[in-house]
Amino acid sequence: MASSSARRPTIMDVAERAGVSKSLVSLVLRDSPRVSDERRQRVLKVVEEMGYELNLAARSLATRDSGTIGVLVSDMHNPWAFDVADAARTVLEGAGHTVLFSAVTAADRGVDQSILQAFRDLRVAGLLVVGTVPDKAPFNRAVSGGAVVFAGGGPDYIDTADVVRSDDTQGMAMVVEHLIAQGHENIVHLGGLGGSVGRARVDGYSAAMEEHGLSRHITVVDADFFQESGYVAAQRALGSTRSKHERPTALACINDLAAFGAMTAADERGVEVAITGYDNIALGAMPRLGLTTVDPDSSTIGVTGAKTLLERIHGEGNGFAHHPVTPHLVVRTSSLLGL
């Protein structure tokens, strides 16, 4: 058995053992038609024997289909995205693919071009993008075959790409319906930022408020998907200049992380207010938090996204597909306060 400290075999090592030139090995790894089948098989056999195929870059050059799939997560701070990605990983690995994970730059929601270049260099067979991203074009360019699926993002790309997403408008409307059923009228939404998902959740909030004759109470305080943003927005919504009768009795937050920030703000002010989230991440189920939230069915989003991507890789399906996933409300103690 080789020592764990043994160096990785080089292209020169492969050439020497196969009894061919370095340039011929290079031609084989580039899948050049100039190489005879007999020599190609001899080189590839040595590549396998020496473990050279473990180098993903070399393996991707050796075949037209590298067998590698990229999964790019839009927000490394949000456990929801990893719930989706992990469900997808199980399907993709089960189909025999190697899965490489990376992330969009969280600070500005921009895309790290070096990561997309790495995907191009590895000739990934497909790319699953989890969450909302500003522009789909860079991802399409990262995969020569065009096998790209967007999972969990907003409706922006429907009709121009394969999209698997929960109905964010319906989900936020469920939250408002629940809060109204508890007797709340002055319900403030902390959200609106974060792209199409944020806008869809505002739409659900506003439509439900209007439907129940509560248009006069419609208030959206800007917040995105981060805990600090929810904290700042809740501080504004519960501001010390407001009297007890002016303060909202419920805060419907854009997601669970923002809701955690809102809980901290309410605790600091000593204000009892109903708070809801969205995404149903595991932390919210802890008894001390007991966060009422919307479950977007992350597992189904991930599994459906992965299966759709595999279909695209194998050339199946006609046109772009939109796969809607139905959310459901999870009621816990956080929404049973504030009145």
Side-chain angles (χ1 to χ4, degrees):
M1 179 179 289
S3 168
S4 60
S5 61
R7 67 180 177 84
R8 175 175 292 181
T10 67
I11 192 171
M12 287 299 298
D13 297 326
V14 173
E16 182 177 350
R17 180 177 293 189
V20 299
S21 67
K22 174 184 173 182
S23 60
L24 190 138
V25 174
S26 180
L27 287 172
V28 171
L29 295 178
R30 293 202 303 270
D31 199 27
S32 170
R34 295 163 53 192
V35 183
S36 68
D37 288 342
E38 186 274 329
R39 284 188 163 187
R40 185 187 310 280
Q41 292 306 315
R42 187 199 316 172
V43 170
L44 291 178
K45 181 179 179 181
V46 171
V47 163
E48 182 175 358
E49 291 173 349
M50 299 187 73
Y52 194 74
E53 81 283 1
L54 296 179
N55 183 320
L56 289 177
R59 184 168 65 187
S60 69
L61 290 172
T63 62
R64 295 185 186 277
D65 180 0
S66 69
T68 301
I69 289 177
V71 175
L72 194 144
V73 177
S74 67
D75 184 359
M76 291 186 68
H77 295 83
N78 194 339
W80 163 83
F82 288 98
D83 289 343
V84 174
D86 190 52
R89 176 192 59 79
T90 300
V91 173
L92 297 173
E93 290 182 349
H97 291 275
T98 298
V99 181
L100 297 181
F101 288 89
S102 190
V104 170
T105 303
D108 57 7
R109 314 296 294 172
V111 179
D112 188 335
Q113 294 299 320
S114 66
I115 292 172
L116 295 185
Q117 183 60 51
F119 284 146
R120 282 192 290 270
D121 291 344
L122 289 170
R123 297 184 182 181
V124 294
L127 187 63
L128 182 70
V129 183
V130 180
T132 300
V133 291
D135 179 16
K136 70 184 179 67
F139 306 100
N140 289 336
R141 291 194 295 269
V143 183
S144 59
V148 181
V149 173
F150 296 86
D156 298 25
Y157 309 141
I158 292 175
D159 299 330
T160 63
D162 289 295
V163 175
V164 182
R165 71 180 188 96
S166 186
D167 189 333
D168 295 288
T169 301
Q170 178 187 9
M172 190 55 71
M174 289 178 180
V175 166
V176 176
E177 294 279 353
H178 166 68
L179 291 172
I180 291 173
Q182 299 304 308
H184 294 280
E185 292 187 350
N186 193 353
I187 304 167
V188 170
H189 178 55
L190 309 186
L193 304 181
S196 57
V197 169
R199 294 192 298 272
R201 293 180 186 177
V202 168
D203 290 344
Y205 159 77
S206 300
M209 293 288 282
E210 289 176 359
E211 183 178 343
H212 287 271
L214 298 176
S215 299
R216 67 189 183 282
H217 289 301
I218 292 177
T219 304
V220 177
V221 180
D222 285 348
D224 58 23
F225 302 109
F226 295 91
Q227 186 169 338
E228 177 63 22
S229 180
Y231 174 83
V232 172
Q235 290 279 24
R236 290 177 57 195
L238 303 172
S240 58
T241 58
R242 296 175 182 266
S243 70
K244 179 178 180 179
H245 299 293
E246 292 175 328
R247 283 198 303 262
T249 60
L251 302 176
C253 302
I254 187 173
N255 75 342
D256 290 351
L257 294 182
F260 297 154
M263 286 178 164
T264 300
D267 286 346
E268 289 181 355
R269 290 185 174 274
V271 175
E272 190 174 79
V273 58
I275 296 176
T276 63
Y278 201 116
D279 287 341
N280 195 28
I281 63 176
L283 186 60
M286 294 179 63
R288 189 175 183 87
L289 296 173
L291 181 64
T292 292
T293 185
V294 175
D295 187 339
D297 199 350
S298 304
S299 178
T300 296
I301 292 173
V303 168
T304 304
K307 289 181 177 179
T308 301
L309 184 59
L310 291 174
E311 290 174 358
R312 287 299 177 188
I313 290 171
H314 296 129
E316 301 172 7
N318 297 313
F320 294 112
H322 170 218
H323 302 271
V325 177
T326 302
H328 66 274
L329 189 68
V330 178
V331 177
R332 301 190 181 105
T333 56
S334 72
S335 61
L336 309 180
L337 305 171
L339 290 175

